[in-house]
């Protein structure tokens, strides 16, 4: 699996006393700029389908769904339910996907597996197939390597533990700042000793984002309207700027999923997600 061990997720679903059990195979790249899930779905349909069959032998699911953003070009048996979701960010986030596929609302404190919902990325399902049928260890992963300056990207297969900078030198030999992370919206600059781990979905050459940090919030409300968890982002950011962290209690900042959408849309160029992050950390401590 990604950061969370797959067997633990599976065991949680097996042990869950939920009345219904559901499997959602997540083929929905969450962040803009990721291209490897789409490629993966088309490259390994047989392996992914067999991986799903193996999971269905472990757990009697009431529904099995492959969630994707685009159906065109997919070649899967007709008995597999394929659910096309809208292409927006962050539709691949687990709770949002559950809402889209099962029409169920899960609070930010609820773990889907405890509710009988197993959500696995397509690459994890492929790894299940490889482990069970071919005895192949999951010590590699496919990810997106992008050159943001030139708006190009490639799917690369890398060994876990490889140095990020060395991979980028091989894929894009031109010099540049290297970033890594879960995706375009949640990446950071790579250090010399950063390695590929199970969380790495995205490595890129890019320039630093330039936040204008205008103090003049127009009150347009765009940040709040784009927040997938419905936070009053500008109000929280204003309280953080004013040093009134105690007043963010009750504003649900702990629900922030750090997607970065608020900073992206802010016309005043404010780095809002870092402010909400500060509020979130304050609330968690409190
Ligand atoms: S970073 Fe947090 S506050 Fe900003 S849009 Fe995403 S969830 Fe909302
Ligand atoms: S998007 Fe920016 S300018 Fe608009 S309300 Fe939010 S913080 Fe203010």
């Amino acid at each position: 699996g990604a950061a969370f061990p797959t067997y633990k997720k599976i065991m949680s679903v097996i042990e869950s006393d939920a009345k219904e059990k559901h499997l959602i195979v997540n083929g929905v790249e969450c962040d803009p700029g990721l291209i490897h899930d789409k490629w993966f779905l088309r490259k390994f349909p047989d392996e992914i389908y067999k991986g799903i069959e193996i999971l269905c032998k472990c757990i009697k699911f009431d529904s099995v769904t492959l969630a994707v953003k685009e159906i065109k070009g997919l070649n899967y048996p007709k008995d597999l339910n394929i659910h096309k979701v809208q292409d927006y960010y962050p539709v691949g986030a687990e709770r949002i996907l559950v809402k889209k596929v099962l029409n169920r609302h899960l609070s930010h404190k609820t773990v889907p597996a405890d509710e009988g919902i197993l959500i696995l990325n397509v690459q994890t399902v492929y790894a299940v197939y490889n482990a069970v049928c071919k005895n192949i260890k999951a010590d590699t992963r496919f990810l997106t390597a992008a050159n943001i300056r030139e708006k190009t990207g490639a799917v690369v297969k890398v060994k876990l533990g490889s140095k990020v900078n060395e991979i980028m030198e091989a894929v894009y030999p031109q010099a540049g700042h290297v970033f890594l992370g879960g995706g375009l919206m949640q990446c950071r600059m790579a250090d010399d000793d950063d390695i590929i781990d199970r969380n790495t979905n995205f490595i890129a050459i890019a320039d630093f984002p330039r936040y204008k940090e205008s103090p003049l919030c127009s009150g347009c409300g765009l940040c709040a309207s784009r927040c997938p968890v419905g936070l009053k982002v500008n109000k929280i950011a204003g309280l953080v700027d004013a040093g009134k962290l105690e007043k963010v209690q009750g504003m649900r900042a702990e629900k922030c999923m750090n997607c970065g959408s608020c900073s992206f849309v802010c016309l005043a160029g404010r780095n809002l997600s870092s402010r909400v992050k500060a509020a979130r950390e304050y609330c968690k401590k409190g």
Side-chain angles (χ1 to χ4, degrees):
F4 199 76
T6 301
Y7 81 92
K8 283 196 179 173
K9 265 193 183 180
I10 293 173
M11 286 311 296
S12 297
V13 174
I14 289 173
E15 287 163 5
S16 160
D17 53 11
K19 283 192 190 127
E20 293 185 354
K21 308 249 165 128
H22 302 278
L23 171 63
I24 301 175
V25 179
N26 189 352
V28 178
E29 342 243 16
C30 199
D31 283 41
L34 296 180
I35 56 173
H36 57 277
D37 278 0
K38 186 178 173 188
W39 175 87
F40 207 82
L41 283 163
R42 285 153 184 80
K43 181 83 178 166
F44 300 110
D46 295 342
E47 291 84 348
I48 293 168
Y49 188 75
K50 282 176 188 154
I52 292 172
E53 286 183 325
I54 292 164
L55 292 163
C56 290
K57 284 185 182 159
C58 301
I59 301 170
K60 191 176 176 318
F61 291 109
D62 293 277
S63 76
V64 175
T65 306
L66 173 62
V68 299
K69 278 185 179 165
E70 192 181 315
I71 289 182
K72 196 175 162 200
L74 293 181
N75 185 18
Y76 287 83
K78 294 222 168 2
D79 63 344
L80 179 62
N81 177 34
I82 300 181
H83 185 109
K84 182 176 182 294
V85 297
Q86 278 174 292
D87 187 0
Y88 74 91
Y89 175 72
V91 72
E94 286 198 341
R95 287 174 188 79
I96 295 177
L97 202 55
V98 168
K99 177 74 182 144
K100 295 285 166 200
V101 173
L102 300 174
N103 197 23
R104 277 179 58 182
H105 173 77
L106 298 184
S107 81
H108 71 285
K109 288 183 182 159
T110 310
V111 177
D114 293 342
E115 294 294 309
I117 304 168
L118 180 62
I119 305 172
L120 296 177
N121 178 267
V122 278
Q123 213 168 147
T124 308
V125 176
Y126 174 77
V128 167
Y129 160 77
N130 270 334
V132 174
C133 297
K134 299 201 159 179
N135 202 22
I136 295 175
K137 202 173 158 187
D139 60 357
T140 57
R141 65 171 292 125
F142 292 86
L143 49 81
T144 299
N147 183 337
I148 303 295
R149 287 180 189 148
E150 296 184 3
K151 297 187 173 60
T152 57
V155 178
V156 294
K157 183 182 181 185
V158 294
K159 207 164 177 62
L160 295 175
S162 309
K163 286 206 164 183
V164 172
N165 282 335
E166 286 174 10
I167 293 166
M168 282 315 252
E169 273 167 32
V171 182
Y172 299 112
Q174 56 279 65
H177 300 301
V178 175
F179 291 77
L180 85 159
L184 183 61
M185 302 294 278
Q186 304 174 49
C187 57
R188 63 168 175 81
M189 197 171 163
D191 295 326
D192 281 346
D193 51 0
D194 267 320
I195 56 168
I196 302 291
D197 64 21
R198 292 177 196 281
N199 283 318
T200 318
N201 260 331
F202 180 75
I203 50 179
I205 291 175
D207 295 318
F208 285 103
R210 286 190 211 99
Y211 292 108
K212 287 180 280 176
E213 291 296 343
S214 163
L216 300 175
C217 164
S218 66
C220 66
L222 208 51
C223 50
S225 72
R226 290 296 173 85
C227 176
V229 291
L231 300 184
K232 292 177 178 166
V233 183
N234 48 338
K235 293 213 168 116
I236 294 172
L239 289 168
V240 172
D241 282 350
K244 296 178 180 170
L245 275 168
E246 70 287 353
K247 294 206 171 169
V248 302
Q249 293 282 14
M251 297 184 79
R252 303 180 303 135
E254 64 279 7
K255 286 184 79 177
C256 172
M257 52 199 284
N258 202 24
C259 70
S261 298
C262 48
S263 305
F264 185 74
V265 297
C266 177
L267 299 175
R270 302 171 76 199
N271 186 353
L272 295 165
S273 57
S274 70
R275 290 166 164 94
V276 179
K277 188 176 174 198
R280 187 181 64 184
E281 279 164 11
Y282 177 84
C283 293
K284 276 187 182 163
K285 274 188 215 149

